[in-house]
Amino acid sequence: MTVLFTLVVQLLRRVRKFLLAAGGLLAGFQIVLILQANSIQASNSFAKMGDLVPAFARDILGPSFVAFLTFKGIVCLGYFHPVVMGALVSVSVTIATIPIMEIESGFIDLVLARPVARHWVLTRSILAATIAIVYLLVMMALGTWIGLSSFAAKDAAWPSAALVGLLAMNLGLLMLCWAAIAMAIGCACRRRGSAGAIAGLLALTAYLTDYVGRAWKPADSIAWLSPFRYYTPFELVMGSALPAKSLYVLGGIAFAAFALAYALYSRRDISH
Amino acid sequence: MLTGSAAVSISGLTKRYGTLIAVDHLDLEVKRGEVFGFLGLNGAGKTTTIRILLDLLRPTSGHASIFGHNCQSDSLRARGAVGYLPGEMGIYSDLTGHELLVFLERIGGKSVSREHRNNLTRRFELTERDLSRKLREYSTGMKRKLGLIQAFQADPPLLILDEPTEGLDPLMQESFYELLADARNRGRTVFMSSHVLPEVERVCDRIAMVRKGKVVFLSTVEDARKLASRRVRVVFGQDVAVPISLPRGYEMVEAEPRRWIVRVTGPLGSLPSFLAAFPVADLAVEEARLEDVLVKYYRDGAE
């Protein structure tokens, strides 16, 4: 356990600046969204914004669209905005592919020449990725709390702590799922650049598949393949419970991908 | 616990990459307490063999063990007895030298004597100030010294060193040779790859040469040296004619009226009687060089 602890601490120390910057930016983004929601609320423009959207678009987007065009909806947007999702996927992929980068750089030779089991290297990365994701979500929640308590108008309807917690939990599991997929891809690749590019493209394709599937029926038939389908922020904002199925599917994908990563890494040659 | 009688035992080891055979049915045994030189040109299979010993690469067939522990099925115990210097040190440039040494000590599972580490840093002239600097500020030579320190710091029973003096200046090479001699005196085993033949000749007890993944030459350094031809420089007091033929095992390298250089393979026993007929003024026999034997194997892999 001492070895594992040392490996985790070393990895987190290595990415600390990157994580601090990402955490700061994500927290800042939440505050900016709250300022924006506050401004719309102050000018009483939520209803006007809804009127601007064509009827057919409203039909496609469904009742969740109404929930989104509220103070609470805009605040919660920080948990499913494409920029935020992209940033979190990038962090997950970056940390999950570190084992491959270490093979490429030769650093892992120094580690694995000692009595360190190969699976500890991946376990370390999984723990570090989990800690990083939780940290970033905590920073986002902190940004939301600071923004609301410092800038929100008194009459604004804040999202409940439970809602923010559910969004963060669902989002966190989605990111862990992408970390697992990136790790499995990385363990099959020789270069981190290739692994990152494949994982990134896959995430983008999955995101677009889910996005298009929500508005276009033919695409919906394959949208179930996308992990993003199992992140349901609109429904949560509308007050629905977090579906257990989503958690099981995301957890299942993460488990299977991590298991695949372990199998690939234990069999592969460590050569750069 | 070190159980096996040999420090390193390799049997029928083969590593293929598709159609390329990097290591081809390699058999080798390194005895405890010896300094073993593993020689060969680039791409001969030296580093591949070393990486299999450390379970970084998986062999296609055959097996290798360290102190009786199989390098694949019992690799944690095998690696627990090893201090390793890679040919190319991959390091995180934002760590300091000291942080790297402490990190590697912690994951090595053995506590390192401060006195021993300080002794190593002194030998390689790395000051506390150097060790507190980020590795991105280190020169190639400093990185190499740090690599040697991390390999030796836990005082392991087996040292596996891949091209250990690459990038070291002559003074630091001397320090390394002294360190190697100390390690041998304390009963440590050293398995080092190199292509610097004078270095191997100086520090190794036995040598193996690999070519295309196979051992083509295995011998003690002493025995190998005996195979080398020696150059004999003969100076005459007056002009002499070059003989039409020379005794068996003799080869004329240079012939001037008052000076010959003759290459002699084997014992020099017949030389005095051969030269008795000439007005010899001076005679010098050069020390046999390992290089002269091994270069032949480098070139054509002669048996």
Side-chain angles (χ1 to χ4, degrees):
Chain A
M1 287 305 280
T2 313
V3 172
L4 186 59
F5 179 75
T6 306
L7 289 170
V8 171
V9 169
Q10 191 269 341
L11 178 52
L12 288 174
R13 278 195 65 185
R14 176 160 166 66
V15 294
R16 68 188 185 279
K17 286 178 189 162
F18 171 61
L19 284 181
L20 283 172
L25 285 171
L26 287 168
F29 190 78
Q30 305 306 312
I31 294 171
V32 168
L33 275 180
I34 288 164
L35 288 171
Q36 199 173 3
N38 216 26
S39 160
I40 299 168
Q41 170 95 353
S43 60
N44 207 16
S45 303
F46 280 117
K48 284 182 210 162
M49 281 168 66
D51 291 340
L52 287 173
V53 177
F56 78 91
R58 257 180 285 172
D59 289 344
I60 289 170
L61 294 167
S64 59
F65 179 69
V66 179
F68 168 66
L69 284 180
T70 60
F71 182 85
K72 185 174 80 172
I74 296 290
V75 172
C76 291
L77 175 64
Y79 293 81
F80 53 93
H81 193 284
V83 170
V84 174
M85 306 273 274
L88 286 171
V89 169
S90 301
V91 171
S92 302
V93 169
T94 301
I95 294 178
T97 52
I98 280 178
I100 311 314
M101 185 200 72
E102 289 173 333
I103 294 177
E104 214 176 324
S105 70
F107 181 75
I108 207 68
D109 293 1
L110 290 174
V111 175
L112 291 179
R114 288 169 168 76
V116 175
R118 282 196 187 190
H119 60 80
W120 288 353
V121 174
L122 291 196
T123 306
R124 165 212 64 170
S125 295
I126 294 169
L127 287 174
T130 307
I131 291 168
I133 290 167
V134 169
Y135 156 75
L136 291 176
L137 292 170
V138 166
M139 286 300 287
M140 286 166 64
L142 192 66
T144 304
W145 180 75
I146 291 170
L148 287 172
S149 53
S150 308
F151 307 111
K154 290 203 168 44
D155 58 337
W158 292 16
S160 66
L163 172 60
V164 172
L166 285 178
L167 284 167
M169 189 166 85
N170 200 177
L171 181 58
L173 206 52
L174 177 69
M175 292 309 133
L176 195 64
C177 175
W178 279 109
I181 292 169
M183 189 178 276
I185 292 169
C187 289
C189 288
R190 282 182 66 85
R191 299 275 171 257
R192 188 202 203 179
S194 319
I198 294 168
L201 274 174
L202 196 63
L204 181 66
T205 309
Y207 183 79
L208 291 175
T209 304
D210 174 54
Y211 193 81
V212 174
R214 286 174 194 271
W216 189 44
K217 284 281 173 211
D220 197 39
S221 61
I222 56 160
W224 63 273
L225 288 167
S226 167
F228 290 101
R229 176 49 55 110
Y230 306 97
Y231 176 47
T232 52
F234 285 105
E235 287 79 351
L236 291 174
V237 172
M238 280 183 69
S240 303
L242 180 60
K245 182 189 162 194
S246 297
L247 299 182
Y248 292 145
V249 171
L250 289 175
I253 295 171
F255 181 81
F258 280 137
L260 180 64
Y262 276 113
L264 291 169
Y265 195 77
S266 68
R267 284 170 173 76
R268 70 171 287 163
D269 282 342
I270 306 290
S271 61
H272 43 91
Chain B
M1 178 142 176
L2 308 177
T3 51
S5 56
V8 177
S9 180
I10 297 172
S11 169
L13 197 70
T14 301
K15 178 67 181 176
R16 290 171 191 269
Y17 295 100
T19 54
L20 177 80
I21 304 173
V23 178
D24 191 3
H25 296 92
L26 192 86
D27 296 305
L28 202 63
E29 196 164 280
V30 179
K31 296 172 196 157
R32 284 168 182 251
E34 74 175 336
V35 178
F36 191 92
F38 196 46
L39 317 179
L41 294 175
N42 293 335
K46 305 186 297 288
T47 300
T48 303
T49 306
I50 286 174
R51 295 180 77 81
I52 292 172
L53 287 174
L54 296 165
D55 196 30
L56 295 170
L57 299 180
R58 300 280 158 79
T60 309
S61 62
H63 57 84
S65 62
I66 290 174
F67 295 117
H69 301 297
N70 188 287
C71 293
Q72 273 67 52
S73 60
D74 196 12
S75 74
L76 287 184
R77 281 192 189 159
R79 284 182 275 148
V82 173
Y84 171 56
L85 172 74
E88 287 172 43
M89 277 257 292
I91 42 180
Y92 282 138
S93 55
D94 55 350
L95 286 176
T96 66
H98 185 258
E99 284 169 346
L100 179 72
L101 292 177
V102 170
F103 168 69
L104 294 174
E105 176 194 348
R106 284 187 184 150
I107 63 167
K110 278 184 203 157
S111 64
V112 170
S113 146
R114 301 297 125 197
E115 194 188 333
H116 183 54
R117 185 188 285 160
N118 290 342
N119 180 30
L120 290 169
T121 54
R122 260 198 310 275
R123 273 178 189 268
F124 288 113
E125 296 177 4
L126 282 182
T127 61
E128 279 301 314
R129 191 154 172 252
D130 292 329
L131 290 173
S132 63
R133 283 162 62 189
K134 300 274 187 198
L135 295 177
R136 74 171 70 91
E137 297 168 23
Y138 274 42
S139 66
T140 309
M142 285 171 82
K143 283 180 191 161
R144 206 67 189 151
K145 291 186 220 174
L146 195 67
L148 285 165
I149 293 168
Q150 63 81 28
F152 279 84
Q153 69 172 356
D155 198 18
L158 172 65
L159 288 146
I160 297 181
L161 311 172
D162 198 353
E163 309 284 358
T165 53
E166 191 94 9
L168 288 184
D169 62 49
L171 282 177
M172 289 302 107
Q173 284 180 15
E174 280 302 319
S175 296
F176 167 69
Y177 300 147
E178 286 168 17
L179 187 61
L180 217 54
D182 279 2
R184 179 174 28 200
N185 291 341
R186 283 183 293 108
R188 304 297 180 255
T189 309
V190 180
F191 182 74
M192 58 180 269
S193 80
S194 179
H195 48 224
V196 184
L197 295 176
E199 168 182 293
V200 169
E201 188 169 8
R202 177 173 170 176
V203 301
C204 292
D205 301 310
R206 282 202 305 148
I207 49 168
M209 169 160 285
V210 281
R211 192 169 175 274
K212 293 181 180 172
K214 284 183 172 168
V215 173
V216 291
F217 184 80
L218 177 66
S219 162
T220 64
V221 170
E222 273 311 305
D223 288 346
R225 215 182 264 135
K226 283 176 193 161
L227 298 173
S229 54
R230 280 170 285 185
R231 285 155 67 97
V232 179
R233 194 166 58 86
V234 190
V235 179
F236 303 104
Q238 58 190 70
D239 290 359
V240 295
V242 179
I244 297 162
S245 65
L246 290 170
R248 188 179 162 83
Y250 287 51
E251 183 194 347
M252 186 67 77
V253 178
E254 276 180 44
E256 290 171 18
R258 290 200 176 200
R259 190 178 73 113
W260 296 348
I261 294 178
V262 183
R263 183 180 291 129
V264 183
T265 306
L268 296 174
S270 60
L271 187 69
S273 55
F274 171 66
L275 291 176
F278 297 95
V280 176
D282 191 20
L283 186 73
V285 182
E286 286 180 9
E287 181 73 13
R289 295 184 311 161
L290 184 65
E291 203 168 337
D292 296 330
V293 178
L294 296 184
V295 162
K296 186 173 74 171
Y297 288 91
Y298 274 142
R299 286 203 187 105
D300 53 24
E303 297 299 324

